[in-house]
Amino acid sequence: MPPEMGELTLDLGPGDERLFIDESLEQIEAIETGLLDLERGDRSPLVVNEIFRGAHTLKGSAATIGHRRMAELTHALEDVFGALRSGTLTELGGFADVALSTIDVLRRLVEEVSAGRTLTDAPEGLTARLRIMLDEAEGTAAAQSSPPPADPASPTAPAADVATGPGDDQIVDRLVHEAPVPDGPRTIVRCEVDPSSQWQAVRLLQCAVEARESGRLLSSVPSLEEIDGGLGGASLAFLLSGTPAELEPLLARLGVIDDIAEVAAAGLDMRELRKVDLGPEARGLAADDQLRVAGDRLKVAQQTIRIDVSRLDELMNLVGELVVHKTRLQLQAHQIMALLGDDPIARGAEEGAQQFARIASQLQDQVTGLRMLPIETIFNRFPRVVRDLSAKLGREVELVIEGRETELDRSVLEEVGDPLGHLVRNALDHGIEPPEVRLAAGKPAGGRLRLSARHADGQIVITVEDDGAGMDPAALRESAIGKGLLTADAAAGMSDAEALRIIFLPGFSTAARVTDVSGRGVGMDVVRTNIERLGGRVEISSEIGSGTRVALSLPLTLAIIGAMLVRSGSRVCALPMTGVVETLRIAPDAITHVIGHPVIQLRGRVVPVAVLDTALGDPVRPMRPNGRGFINLVVVRSRDQELALTVDEFVGQQEIVLKSLNAFTGRLVGISGATIMADGTVALVVDIAAVLGAGAARRGVLAVVA
């Protein structure tokens, strides 16, 4: 436990807190992803540059708001990445675990910003540890390599001479004249800002601050005072103590500042030239083309803005109201047409309603798109989970991620993370075998875990698949009987496919002992409950010795849904289409009874029957035939259960805006919310899973889907 934590005083203006938290978490996630790529052996300059840039940006943001401990910790992490970038540090090695621990602490430090108080004392120790490890690694590298002396006539990297061009002689003279005379070599560094940048003075000032913080700044042209006064232009020159090679970390930090198109350095007393890599898209291009690439990069960045999520939610609510009024307007236009016939006023009302409907639909699509996020925001957390758990469990696991770009609504995305976490942990703990077991079974020592996402039939399908031991239906039956979850007769009557679904029973677990990974018997039940609460479903398949596949089917959005509108008794109810199997009309004598409960035969299945308003808590009443003597039925399904609900009238199918009920109404059994109809009345949205669960409890039996 950390010592007593005090208040945290930060320099934050209105709205700055949310912006800092969002941006910091993005940078932390990018750094973590890059670290895992490095650990897997991807040492491409793009990966190293990205994590260096992320650490540099995070350090600057923390320093800006006065979060000293976070800035110092990130600075130490940045130095490690800078050493990797410059080649001083050639292997990540022991830094990986410490750096990942640093990532965890950085997330905690970001939490401090919203909490307004200190939550951890870990940064000081980690900062010191990173610096000690880096000093030791650099000392070892220096002892193992003895670089040849620099050849003044031979540049170390292709670059333009920084001392060429109009006025450069005067700049060099001014730099030397205004600088103290140091012992040792001196270097001139020039920073060029993208000419299309609207923040030239700010970027030059950032460069000047970096140079000053390095402790090597002797002079600059223009001076810091001139830059503050807006006299900086698009170019800045420094005179720094040290050789270009010694200044490599500083050059790297300058190179990742936004809008900096070029950084070049040359020794004042020798012709050693260095230029910072501007990234793969600019590599090998002429100077003018490099500026164009940097300008394009800036334009792309300026095309995106951050919007508070609450504003998007409010906008979605307003679009929902438009959808309601669109339906109402269309209904009124039809009524006018029926009343007036082929009349100019009626035609005008009809055309106006159609045009409004088109615009409202387009607006709905656009706003829904704004709320969509790529699922990679959830998938990106699992490489770290797989890495840590694999090491803990003694497994060798390759994680394959497909469909990162697949988008779904933010509200759905927020709810799917925990179920996916359960599935990944189960796959590692119960599915993929230890290397020696896999080798004995003729498999590769390393297992494979695949996470994928795709769109299908208006839904998103997320799949978690492993190539592990698979599940044995017979062993599942035996375990369920032993735990008292099933009778021997019930288990014997199950098919293998039904037996696999035993894992969703509350309290079921195949783990021999409880660990901090699994074994408590709550994981898969939680997965199914959470997914079905979102209007989705879970499907599972497995083959002994080959692996297990779990597929989650989810709606793309929860705000506007398709529903079947029905009238039952005094109520108009909306049944979400995700739970509706079919509608039918049957003769009253087609309903029979089993153990006193009404049922129907539907294509070889026995389906229980209930009156909808009675199932929702109204007084019991007999089933009413419609005007033609038939009974209207809506067959609904949730999990492995089906129920045929009798209703008085089919109102129709349409999109509805789901609105939650507030605390004043209390919790209504079988009701998940409400919606406003085209005529202004309120319809209750039925929670199909709750209705089925309550019916099963009353009857003691429900048909199992074969």
Side-chain angles (χ1 to χ4, degrees):
M1 285 290 291
E4 184 68 19
M5 299 301 178
E7 287 191 10
L8 192 67
T9 303
L10 301 173
D11 184 15
L12 287 166
D16 289 348
E17 177 183 313
R18 187 72 258 164
L19 182 63
F20 173 81
I21 291 173
D22 290 345
E23 290 186 342
S24 296
L25 291 177
E26 285 180 9
Q27 297 295 345
I28 289 171
E29 185 173 296
I31 295 170
E32 183 178 63
T33 300
L35 268 171
L36 295 173
D37 289 340
L38 282 177
E39 192 179 33
R40 286 192 293 266
D42 185 354
R43 286 295 305 275
S44 68
L46 181 61
V47 172
V48 179
N49 287 342
E50 282 299 314
I51 60 176
F52 180 87
R53 183 187 295 272
H56 182 77
T57 303
L58 197 59
K59 179 196 73 174
S61 299
T64 300
I65 67 168
H67 201 326
R68 179 188 57 79
R69 293 174 307 123
M70 183 174 176
E72 290 177 353
L73 178 59
T74 318
H75 196 166
L77 193 62
E78 176 192 20
D79 288 343
V80 172
F81 299 149
L84 282 169
R85 195 173 189 228
S86 65
T88 304
L89 188 65
T90 57
E91 296 294 336
L92 194 60
F95 283 98
D97 289 333
V98 181
L100 288 170
S101 297
T102 302
I103 293 296
D104 296 334
V105 173
L106 286 173
R107 288 194 173 99
R108 191 68 168 155
L109 293 173
V110 173
E111 289 180 25
E112 292 186 348
V113 177
S114 57
R117 60 190 179 89
T118 307
L119 300 176
T120 175
D121 63 346
E124 287 77 4
L126 272 175
T127 300
R129 188 176 178 190
L130 282 170
R131 295 203 180 283
I132 291 171
M133 290 179 68
L134 182 58
D135 288 344
E136 291 175 349
E138 289 179 336
T140 302
Q144 291 176 348
S145 62
S146 178
D151 181 0
S154 175
T156 59
D161 190 339
V162 296
T164 61
D168 281 341
D169 290 338
Q170 290 87 338
I171 291 175
V172 173
D173 289 341
R174 180 178 166 186
L175 287 170
V176 174
H177 177 73
E178 294 181 359
V181 178
D183 294 328
R186 293 174 293 174
T187 297
I188 294 175
V189 174
R190 171 171 289 169
C191 298
E192 298 286 345
V193 182
D194 182 357
S196 65
S197 173
Q198 300 178 4
W199 307 95
Q200 290 184 351
V202 174
R203 301 313 180 204
L204 291 182
L205 188 59
Q206 285 181 266
C207 292
V209 169
E210 284 285 355
R212 184 177 61 188
E213 288 185 353
S214 72
R216 295 179 177 271
L217 179 62
L218 303 175
S219 61
S220 70
V221 177
S223 66
L224 268 63
E225 292 76 18
E226 290 172 334
I227 297 172
D228 276 334
L231 303 177
S235 178
L236 177 64
F238 303 119
L239 183 62
L240 303 169
S241 62
T243 66
E246 292 170 341
L247 295 172
E248 195 73 62
L250 173 60
L251 298 180
R253 292 197 294 273
L254 294 173
V256 296
I257 293 175
D258 290 343
D259 301 352
I260 296 300
E262 180 177 335
V263 178
L268 185 63
D269 304 315
M270 59 183 178
R271 306 311 301 163
E272 181 187 5
L273 303 175
R274 291 176 182 265
K275 182 181 288 187
V276 171
D277 187 2
L278 296 178
E281 65 269 42
R283 200 171 297 140
L285 300 180
D288 290 345
D289 292 330
Q290 289 184 349
L291 292 179
R292 175 185 53 76
V293 169
D296 292 342
R297 215 186 287 153
L298 176 64
K299 290 173 185 175
V300 170
Q302 290 174 336
Q303 288 175 353
T304 60
I305 60 173
R306 290 183 180 273
I307 300 176
D308 193 288
V309 169
S310 62
R311 293 189 178 185
L312 281 181
D313 291 340
E314 186 174 347
L315 185 59
M316 194 63 170
N317 287 335
L318 293 174
V319 169
E321 298 296 334
L322 274 182
V323 172
V324 172
H325 286 285
K326 173 190 76 173
T327 307
R328 179 181 298 180
L329 191 60
Q330 288 175 316
L331 177 62
Q332 291 173 344
H334 291 322
Q335 291 172 341
I336 293 173
M337 182 68 76
L339 183 64
L340 300 181
D342 190 15
D343 183 88
I345 295 177
R347 288 198 303 271
E350 183 78 12
E351 291 172 1
Q354 290 176 356
Q355 181 66 12
F356 180 81
R358 281 194 297 270
I359 295 173
S361 297
Q362 291 172 2
L363 184 59
Q364 175 187 336
D365 291 341
Q366 291 296 323
V367 174
T368 301
L370 289 175
R371 290 166 53 92
M372 293 290 184
L373 292 173
I375 199 169
E376 69 174 342
T377 57
I378 295 296
F379 279 2
N380 284 348
R381 71 175 64 168
F382 293 116
R384 173 74 183 278
V385 172
V386 171
R387 172 199 183 270
D388 292 348
L389 281 182
S390 298
K392 188 171 188 176
L393 297 169
R395 310 283 201 267
E396 296 178 12
V397 181
E398 176 192 4
L399 177 63
V400 178
I401 296 180
E402 298 172 346
R404 295 174 184 265
E405 70 287 350
T406 306
E407 293 185 331
L408 70 164
D409 192 282
R410 180 185 62 84
S411 58
V412 180
L413 197 65
E414 290 173 346
E415 300 292 336
V416 79
D418 287 343
L420 279 178
H422 281 300
L423 294 177
V424 168
R425 284 192 292 273
N426 275 349
L428 293 172
D429 198 21
H430 298 302
I432 297 177
E433 315 93 325
E436 61 275 12
V437 176
R438 293 179 62 87
L439 289 172
K443 292 182 175 182
R448 172 172 292 188
L449 177 63
R450 186 185 304 275
L451 276 177
S452 64
R454 60 185 175 87
H455 286 135
D457 300 326
Q459 291 191 312
I460 181 171
V461 179
I462 304 171
T463 304
V464 181
E465 185 176 3
D466 66 69
D467 66 348
M471 292 189 293
D472 184 352
L476 292 174
R477 293 187 188 96
E478 183 179 344
S479 179
I481 294 171
K483 295 177 183 296
L485 300 174
L486 285 177
T487 65
D489 290 341
M494 285 183 168
S495 66
D496 284 351
E498 290 169 350
L500 291 178
R501 302 185 70 82
I502 289 175
I503 66 171
F504 295 117
L505 292 175
F508 180 81
S509 175
T510 59
R513 59 188 178 89
V514 174
T515 69
D516 56 353
V517 179
S518 64
R520 293 170 176 79
V522 295
M524 296 305 292
D525 177 46
V526 169
V527 168
R528 184 170 70 168
T529 300
N530 288 354
I531 295 303
E532 290 180 349
R533 182 166 50 83
L534 295 172
R537 66 181 187 275
V538 183
E539 297 176 352
I540 186 167
S541 60
S542 185
E543 184 177 343
I544 298 175
S546 297
T548 301
R549 180 180 184 271
V550 181
L552 312 179
S553 298
L554 292 158
L556 294 179
T557 180
L558 301 179
I560 299 176
I561 62 174
M564 170 68 68
L565 297 176
V566 297
R567 188 181 303 278
S568 182
S570 60
R571 288 193 177 101
V572 173
C573 296
L575 301 166
M577 292 301 298
T578 53
V580 175
V581 178
E582 62 182 299
T583 61
L584 62 156
R585 294 181 174 92
I586 63 172
D589 58 8
I591 299 177
T592 58
H593 288 77
V594 175
I595 321 177
H597 298 291
V599 298
I600 60 170
Q601 289 281 342
L602 186 62
R603 287 184 289 279
R605 305 193 307 273
V606 177
V607 181
V609 180
V611 179
L612 175 56
D613 53 301
T614 300
L616 295 176
D618 282 0
V620 177
R621 66 174 177 87
M623 300 176 187
R624 298 172 183 162
N626 59 24
R628 300 175 60 186
F630 293 98
I631 292 179
N632 301 319
L633 290 176
V634 182
V635 181
V636 295
R637 175 187 295 172
S638 177
R639 299 191 178 183
D640 296 335
Q641 301 171 343
E642 280 187 331
L643 180 62
L645 296 169
T646 71
V647 299
D648 296 328
E649 179 186 357
F650 298 126
V651 177
Q653 180 180 339
Q654 68 180 52
E655 286 186 324
I656 63 169
V657 181
L658 183 62
K659 295 185 177 293
S660 59
L661 301 175
N662 60 28
F664 178 76
T665 62
R667 176 156 180 80
L668 302 177
V669 177
I671 301 298
S672 61
T675 188
I676 301 173
M677 304 284 289
D679 59 2
T681 59
V682 175
L684 297 177
V685 180
V686 177
D687 184 341
I688 293 175
V691 169
L692 282 164
R698 286 194 300 270
R699 292 185 297 275
V701 61
L702 272 178
V704 176
V705 180

